[in-house]
Amino acid sequence: MIEMDLRRLRFLREFEERGTLAAVAAALGYSPSTVSQQLTLLEKEVGVRLLAKAGRGVRLTDAGRLLVQHARVLLSAAEAAAADLAALSGDIRGTVRAGGLQSAALRLLVPALGRMQADHPQIRVEIFELELEQALPSLRLGAVDLVIGDEYDGHPRPRPAGLRFTLLLEEPLKIVLAAAHRLARPGGPVAVADLRSDIWTASAEGTGHHAMVVGTCRALGGYEPDLRHRSSDADVQLELVRAAAAVSLMPALTLPSNDPALAIRDIAEAALKRRLVAATRDTPPAPALTTFLAAVTDQVHRIGLSLRKFSASTA
């Protein structure tokens, strides 16, 4: 009978996902030599070669790829068993690692953390800021428990297998102009087509927001925007609008409720929206994660009414 160490199976699954021993070592906090030693021990346990040399590195053999498939099942079952045992004990403890883009971290995760510290101090919550594209591999591998990402109308996100996606919030996109902009004074909707000659700002290239801004200008305005400024920090984008008369398309959650230096307007051609989505692994969640998700959902309900009032005031 073959006996396999779950920890070594995790190393193997990480290697299949990340591609190099160095990347596995960096992700798990070990040295590359330790990772290599653990995978060598796993080969001895199962009695077959799992890795073969490929240039300066190594690759999975056919047996290695086969074992990775079983490793996913075994590690998922172990995670589910731990969640069931924790729920049975009735003592909600543990660590929740939650990440998201800036606006989600600021408006959802941090307030939920404050609620957890007051109501469930025995649960350790770790918060970090990260874009969905960067976070999904860590979520799949168990290094992260919850990721809040976004997606825009016309720009759906991929839905990798093994993950569950839950809609948290839907909010309108607004055109943001400097208060002195030529189109800001009437106060009504502004056409994207009329912003052809303006300088734009958006998030970094490769993000959903960047793709949305470029795609909206193409679809509604028929032009390539002069996208000179890129920052994934919403406050930096807003300051570029104030100080440099840039133009941006931003979700309501990122906008101040009252800033005389800004003109926040509806889009004339279409009502575009952003959705915030919670991504978790498609396995039974641990009680600590369930408790934190409840706090996040409660915060969503709290800000929902304020967003509706804000949208009405800027219409």
Side-chain angles (χ1 to χ4, degrees), residues 242-293:
R242 295 186 192 99
V247 173
S248 187
L249 275 171
M250 301 184 71
L253 198 64
T254 65
L255 299 174
S257 58
N258 185 20
D259 186 335
L262 299 175
I264 300 169
R265 300 289 182 259
D266 284 339
I267 303 169
E269 295 96 337
L272 300 181
K273 295 180 180 180
R274 177 179 81 157
R275 285 165 292 281
L276 291 182
V277 180
T280 56
R281 287 183 295 283
D282 193 15
T283 54
L289 177 58
T290 299
T291 303
F292 183 69
L293 282 169

Side-chain angles (χ1 to χ4, degrees), residues 45-110:
E45 286 177 346
V46 299
V48 295
R49 289 287 302 277
L50 301 174
L51 299 173
K53 286 192 173 296
R56 295 183 178 181
V58 292
R59 60 170 177 80
L60 288 172
T61 63
D62 289 342
R65 285 190 290 271
L66 177 63
L67 187 55
V68 166
Q69 296 176 19
H70 291 288
R72 292 197 188 100
V73 175
L74 293 169
L75 291 168
S76 178
E79 185 176 337
D84 288 344
L85 288 171
L88 186 63
S89 71
D91 185 17
I92 303 177
R93 295 180 177 274
T95 298
V96 176
R97 294 149 299 201
L101 67 163
Q102 183 196 45
S103 57
L106 180 64
R107 299 294 300 277
L108 298 181
L109 293 178
V110 173

